[in-house]
Every structure is written in structure tokens, then in C-alpha cells.
Amino acid sequence: MESEIYGENRKKQERTKTRKRIIVQELRERGYRITKQRLLLLDIILEEECCSCKEIYYRISKVDSRVGTATVYRLVNLLEEIGAISRKNMYKIAYGMDCGKENAYKIELDDGTDRRLSGENWNRVVYEGLKACGYIEDQKIRNVVV
């Protein structure tokens, strides 16, 4: 059991490092400097626990009190511009069909219960639903945007 948890944490860390590398590369290609403040902010956003710029600012101010709210808003706007985040999905890094994050989606039912689905299972449900309703035939879903 403990080794499974360690393995999942390690996978999450690797995914986070990969996402960060991709985003940093995209920013560099567009001519943006990669500052310590941007890297710290990116780490906080990649943790996927913030749902607003205010929360991001609150968390960064504990790490580096010199980071201002304008810096947070500028980076969030920049990340949205390059397609790395969407304000519609509460600043979580976008991911496609290969997402394995556990409990990524919560489905609330009218009887008060809920079901939690991993990104992979959510994508499977969407794919099968689209196919059953005749919206797709053999196409693959590239991304789901909420």
C-alpha cells in the first residue's frame, strides 16, 4: 500500500516537472524571461489547488513577500494566452486523454451522493457517450474544455 502511494506521488511529480518544462519552453520561445518569481508562481499553479488569482497571491506571499498582485495577474494572463491554463477550469493545467489524475472530476447526483472519476475514466465516459449518441464515429478526443 505504501509503495503504491509513493509510486503515485512520484508519477504526479514527474507529470508536474514535464508540464513545467513545456510551459517554460513555450514562454522562452515567445521571448519572455524566466524569473525566479515566475517559476515560484508556476509551481503554485501546477499544484492545482488554487481557484483564483487572490489564492495564488496569498500562497506566493508566504514564500516571497516581494511578489505583487500585478505579477500574479500578469502571469495568469500570460499562461492563459499561451493555452497552458483556462480560467474556466479554475487555473488547473489543461490535460487531454492521457490524464490519469485520480478524482479529477466530481459528479453530484440528485440523491445527494457523488461519484469521483479519474481524468482517464472521465474521458472514457465522454467518449462512449458521444459515440452512443452518434456525435462521433472513430475520431479520438484531443481535449475536453469545461
Side-chain angles (χ1 to χ4, degrees):
M1 173 89 172
E2 192 172 311
S3 64
E4 289 177 23
I5 294 171
Y6 176 76
E8 287 300 315
N9 287 340
R10 186 158 172 79
K11 286 179 187 177
K12 182 179 179 181
Q13 289 172 345
E14 288 302 316
R15 279 193 302 269
T16 300
K17 285 180 187 177
T18 301
R19 291 173 180 164
K20 185 175 180 179
R21 262 194 312 272
I22 291 168
I23 292 168
V24 167
Q25 179 181 347
E26 179 69 24
L27 291 172
R28 280 191 178 126
E29 287 175 4
R30 291 177 180 236
Y32 292 98
R33 290 180 335 147
I34 307 305
T35 64
K36 179 182 175 187
Q37 290 179 340
R38 284 184 174 157
L39 291 173
L40 287 171
L41 283 165
L42 192 53
D43 287 337
I44 289 171
I45 293 168
L46 284 167
E47 289 175 5
E48 300 182 351
E49 295 175 4
C50 296
C51 65
S52 69
C53 286
K54 285 182 183 180
E55 276 188 65
I56 295 168
Y57 172 73
Y58 176 74
R59 295 206 39 214
I60 192 69
S61 66
K62 289 181 179 180
V63 178
D64 186 345
S65 61
R66 296 172 297 169
V67 178
T69 55
T71 302
V72 174
Y73 279 94
R74 278 193 303 268
L75 183 62
V76 167
N77 287 335
L78 180 57
L79 293 175
E80 189 171 38
E81 180 184 308
I82 68 169
I85 64 171
S86 169
R87 291 181 199 229
K88 292 179 184 175
N89 67 7
M90 301 173 66
Y91 305 117
K92 293 182 181 177
I93 301 300
Y95 48 79
M97 290 296 291
D98 60 344
C99 176
K101 181 177 179 187
E102 292 301 314
N103 299 327
Y105 298 93
K106 178 180 175 183
I107 311 298
E108 295 178 352
L109 304 173
D110 65 355
D111 66 356
T113 61
D114 61 58
R115 300 291 183 267
R116 295 189 176 267
L117 300 173
S118 67
E120 182 180 337
N121 287 338
W122 170 258
N123 287 325
R124 188 176 311 123
V125 167
V126 170
Y127 178 80
E128 293 299 327
L130 289 170
K131 197 168 185 177
C133 292
Y135 290 108
I136 61 174
E137 292 177 22
D138 291 325
Q139 299 99 321
K140 301 281 188 230
I141 298 173
R142 183 175 49 168
N143 197 10
V144 177
V145 179
V146 180

